[in-house]
Amino acid sequence: MTLFLLASACLLAITLCYASLCAGSPFGNCRKCRGFGYAMKTDRKGRPKPGKHCRRCNGVGKRIRVGRHLWNLWARTYRDGTR
C-alpha cells in the first residue's frame, strides 16, 4: 500500500509542477527549431548559419505548451457554455 501512495504522491507532484509551469510560462521553445526561429545550416566551411524560418512556430521560436492549450480549450468551452 505504501508503494501505491508514493507513486500517487509523485504523480500528483509532477502534475502540479507542470500546471504551475503552464500558468507561469505558457509559451515554451519550439521543439523543431529549439527556439531559434529558423533551422540551423552549415556553410561549406562548416560554420553554422541561419536557414529557412521554421514553419511550425512561424519563425518566432516559441509555441504554446500542451497543458496551456488544453486549459484554453476548456476555458473557452466553459465560457461559451455559461452565457
Side-chain angles (χ1 to χ4, degrees), residues 28-35 54 56 61 63-66:
N29 288 338
C30 178
R31 290 187 304 267
K32 186 171 183 175
C33 64
R34 295 182 305 238
C54 181
R56 183 178 283 180
R63 296 208 43 196
I64 194 161
R65 295 185 193 275
V66 174

Side-chain angles (χ1 to χ4, degrees), residues 40-49:
M40 292 298 289
K41 290 174 48 175
T42 55
D43 60 1
R44 291 187 292 183
K45 293 181 181 178
R47 294 182 297 212
K49 69 176 198 171

Side-chain angles (χ1 to χ4, degrees), residues 18-75:
Y18 184 70
S20 65
L21 178 70
C22 288
S25 177
F27 295 98
N29 288 338
C30 178
R31 290 187 304 267
K32 186 171 183 175
C33 64
R34 295 182 305 238
F36 287 119
Y38 48 83
M40 292 298 289
K41 290 174 48 175
T42 55
D43 60 1
R44 291 187 292 183
K45 293 181 181 178
R47 294 182 297 212
K49 69 176 198 171
K52 292 197 259 182
H53 82 283
C54 181
R55 294 187 319 181
R56 183 178 283 180
C57 65
N58 201 16
V60 177
K62 298 289 183 183
R63 296 208 43 196
I64 194 161
R65 295 185 193 275
V66 174
R68 184 61 182 217
H69 180 69
L70 292 174
W71 174 264
N72 289 346
L73 289 175
W74 177 82

Side-chain angles (χ1 to χ4, degrees), residues 69-83:
H69 180 69
L70 292 174
W71 174 264
N72 289 346
L73 289 175
W74 177 82
R76 186 178 306 127
T77 304
Y78 180 77
R79 192 172 46 246
D80 291 343
T82 57
R83 288 187 185 168

